[in-house]
């Protein structure tokens, strides 16, 4: 069975270090059951090493897993450590899930040693960098195209993907967002130029100068922007071998591509702004805007995991970037039948009528409402009502009919 960690002493171990030692002799899984901070001193116990090398020095087995229990968000804090977290090089099928990495990176290397780590998965993690040279991986590489290293559903804050000491192979980043806040960056946020390396459904936002934002062998449904319109010699948004359905905003160079460029958009060149891309950029709402030119909304390929960073299922055509606009409502023209549950009829501004029904798989918890501001016509039954609730043609709003 898994080895459980909890700082209050009510689990198998109070420290990650001791739990990993125990897990190597058991089923190889460590589950953290609280949202506390683990570091050089975790609940008064010695945990992470401060010496040269990795904070966790224990050697793990193939198939090792370190993850948070559902509903918990433990923080792995590298303050006082040399700069790197753990080495899983030459270990297959290792999983890190649901963790927050923070304050690692003083050695200018990667937090997780990943050389020849076939099948390595980092999922639902948040990476807060100590400085702008911090990377998630140190020498990320898999020699097996059928077992790539995968990073998905992760938030990167001032952190990059890979310490580029040699050319990586078979590393895929998908449904992730990268956000920088510094004034200068010496390396790309996504730097994975090697055989089998891909960026899929990625959003990368560099508020200031970045020499290059995304540098990868192949990019699909990605958006990369800088919020300063730098002129010559200040990098580019994409430096890739091939780009498919990607969007860039960069004042110097938006795409440098050696191979195929298919359905990509240069927003700066087109006279647009980075604010046109997102629902509310200043409010840190990076869902695609559905107004104006809609550069990101419903313009992507159907590729990747099928789930966005927020946990919503994607629907074809996919939105570009880490987030999918998850409208609950799809439609067809037939209002001749009485409507029940999530089905109803609206009278649109052009007096056309349309039946709409809820699309499954959205992460939004509000499931029993028509689109905001819709005018309702016909019979509509709430989930818990035995008889249809009549919403007459006129000014009824979603709030009116759900009261």
């Amino acid at each position: 069975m898994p080895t459980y960690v909890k700082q209050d002493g009510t689990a198998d171990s109070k420290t990650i270090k001791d739990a990993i030692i125990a897990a190597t002799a058991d089923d190889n899984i460590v589950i953290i059951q609280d949202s506390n901070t683990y570091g050089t001193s975790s609940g008064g116990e010695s945990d992470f090493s401060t010496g040269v090398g990795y904070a966790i020095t224990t050697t793990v087995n193939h198939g090792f897993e370190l993850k948070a229990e559902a509903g918990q968000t433990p923080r792995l804090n590298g303050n006082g450590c040399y700069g790197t977290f753990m080495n899983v090089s030459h270990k297959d099928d290792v999983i890190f899930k649901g963790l927050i990495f923070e304050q690692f990176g003083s050695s200018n290397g990667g937090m997780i040693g990943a050389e020849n780590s076939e099948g390595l998965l980092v999922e639902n993690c948040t990476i807060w960098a100590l400085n702008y040279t911090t990377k998630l991986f140190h020498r990320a590489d898999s020699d097996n195209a059928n077992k790539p290293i995968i990073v998905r559903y992760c938030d990167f804050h001032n952190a990059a993907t890979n310490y580029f000491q040699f050319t990586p192979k078979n590393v895929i980043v998908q449904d992730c967002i990268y956000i920088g806040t510094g004034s200068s960056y010496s390396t790309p946020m996504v730097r994975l130029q090697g055989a089998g390396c891909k960026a899929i459904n990625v959003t990368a936002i560099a508020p200031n100068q970045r020499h290059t934002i995304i540098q990868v062998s192949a990019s699909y449904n990605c958006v990369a922007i800088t919020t300063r319109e730098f002129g010559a010699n200040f990098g580019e948004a994409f430096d890739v071998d091939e780009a498919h359905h990607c969007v860039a905003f960069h004042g110097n160079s938006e795409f440098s591509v050696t191979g195929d460029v298919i359905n990509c958009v240069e927003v700066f060149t087109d006279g647009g702004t980075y604010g046109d891309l997102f629902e509310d950029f200043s409010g840190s709402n990076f869902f695609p805007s559905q107004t104006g030119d809609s550069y990101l909304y419903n313009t992507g390929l159907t590729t990747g995991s099928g789930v966005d960073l927020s946990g919503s299922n994607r629907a074809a055509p996919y939105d570009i970037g880490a987030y999918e606009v998850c409208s609950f409502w799809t439609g067809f023209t037939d209002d001749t039948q009485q409507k029940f549950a999530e089905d109803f009829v609206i009278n649109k501004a052009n007096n056309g009528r349309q039946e709409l029904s809820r699309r499954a798989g959205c992460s939004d918890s509000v499931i029993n409402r028509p689109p905001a501001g819709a005018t309702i016509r016909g019979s509509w039954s709430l989930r818990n009502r035995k008889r249809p609730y009549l919403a007459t043609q006129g000014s009824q709003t979603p709030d009116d009919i759900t009261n």
Side-chain angles (χ1 to χ4, degrees):
M1 62 181 297
T3 302
Y4 294 97
V5 182
K6 206 171 183 182
Q7 282 187 13
D8 65 5
T10 59
D12 301 317
S13 174
K14 295 176 68 175
T15 69
I16 295 174
K17 175 187 69 177
D18 290 342
I20 292 174
I21 293 172
T24 56
D26 198 350
D27 75 348
N28 230 17
I29 300 173
V30 174
I31 299 177
I32 304 174
Q33 293 186 298
D34 59 26
S35 297
N36 288 328
T37 298
Y38 290 81
T40 55
S41 179
S42 302
E45 300 286 332
S46 174
D47 202 342
F48 294 176
S49 171
T50 59
V52 174
Y54 292 91
I56 295 292
T57 58
T58 304
T59 301
V60 300
N61 300 321
H62 296 294
F64 171 75
E65 298 181 24
L66 177 62
K67 55 189 179 182
E69 188 170 76
Q72 303 299 324
T73 54
R75 309 180 79 91
L76 311 185
N77 187 287
N79 187 29
C81 299
Y82 179 70
T84 50
F85 173 62
M86 189 175 184
N87 187 16
V88 296
S89 294
H90 305 285
K91 302 298 179 182
D92 298 344
D93 304 313
V94 173
I95 295 175
F96 296 95
K97 186 174 182 179
L99 309 171
I100 298 173
F101 297 91
E102 61 183 11
Q103 298 298 307
F104 286 97
S106 61
S107 68
N108 195 31
M111 290 181 286
I112 298 173
E115 182 178 352
N116 198 19
S117 298
E118 296 180 5
L120 171 62
L121 173 65
V122 179
E123 181 176 87
N124 292 319
C125 290
T126 300
I127 298 91
W128 292 94
L130 176 65
N131 52 51
Y132 307 123
T133 62
T134 301
K135 288 90 175 174
L136 173 63
F137 291 135
H138 190 85
R139 298 181 174 181
D141 173 71
S142 170
D143 287 332
N144 189 342
N146 294 320
K147 296 180 66 175
I149 294 173
I150 294 178
V151 183
R152 65 187 180 198
Y153 320 133
C154 291
D155 293 83
F156 290 77
H157 299 268
N158 286 334
T161 309
N162 183 44
Y163 180 57
F164 201 88
Q165 208 163 18
F166 56 73
T167 302
K169 296 187 296 293
N170 301 311
V171 183
I172 300 173
V173 177
Q174 59 187 27
D175 303 293
C176 294
I177 189 167
Y178 294 74
I179 301 175
T181 58
S183 60
S184 182
Y185 302 83
S186 59
T187 60
M189 286 177 164
V190 184
R191 190 177 187 183
L192 296 169
Q193 281 189 309
C197 292
K198 302 174 185 177
I200 305 172
N201 301 319
V202 167
T203 297
I205 299 170
N208 285 307
Q209 172 197 340
R210 180 172 286 278
H211 292 274
T212 299
I213 301 174
I214 292 180
Q215 188 178 59
V216 67
S217 294
S219 56
Y220 304 84
N221 292 357
C222 295
V223 53
I225 73 163
T226 179
T227 59
R228 290 190 62 179
E229 299 172 6
F230 286 101
N233 302 318
F234 281 100
E236 50 215 354
F238 288 87
D239 177 10
V240 297
D241 294 337
E242 54 183 289
H244 303 260
H245 293 252
C246 292
V247 175
F249 180 91
H250 201 290
N252 178 43
S253 172
E254 292 177 297
F255 287 94
S256 175
V257 186
T258 58
D260 293 336
V261 182
I262 299 174
N263 292 326
C264 293
V265 179
E266 298 178 322
V267 178
F268 180 85
T269 301
D270 286 353
T273 71
Y274 57 83
D276 296 335
L277 302 176
F278 304 102
E279 186 69 29
D280 181 10
F281 184 88
S282 62
S284 297
N285 180 346
F286 301 120
F287 279 80
S289 172
Q290 299 176 67
T291 60
D293 291 326
S294 297
Y295 292 102
L296 308 179
Y297 177 62
N298 282 350
T299 55
L301 292 167
T302 303
T303 186
S305 70
V307 177
D308 81 341
L309 179 57
S310 72
S312 293
N313 290 341
R314 293 184 183 268
Y318 285 7
D319 295 345
I320 290 174
Y323 293 107
E324 177 87 0
V325 174
C326 197
S327 171
F328 285 114
W329 316 102
T330 57
F332 57 92
T333 56
D334 180 6
D335 66 335
T336 61
Q337 299 180 7
Q338 185 170 282
K339 307 302 181 290
F340 295 94
E342 292 92 2
D343 296 336
F344 56 93
V345 177
I346 66 170
N347 185 29
K348 300 177 72 174
N350 62 2
N351 292 322
R353 293 193 297 272
Q354 188 174 29
E355 179 181 342
L356 304 181
S357 59
R358 184 172 64 88
R359 193 183 92 214
C362 294
S363 63
D364 194 327
S365 60
V366 181
I367 62 173
N368 276 331
R369 294 190 178 188
T375 301
I376 309 305
R377 178 181 176 181
S379 297
W380 191 61
S381 174
L382 299 183
R383 181 181 293 275
N384 297 320
R385 288 183 182 270
K386 294 181 180 180
R387 295 164 58 182
Y389 182 91
L390 183 63
T392 58
Q393 184 175 4
S395 62
Q396 273 78 9
T397 68
D399 286 333
D400 293 333
I401 66 171
T402 53
N403 289 334

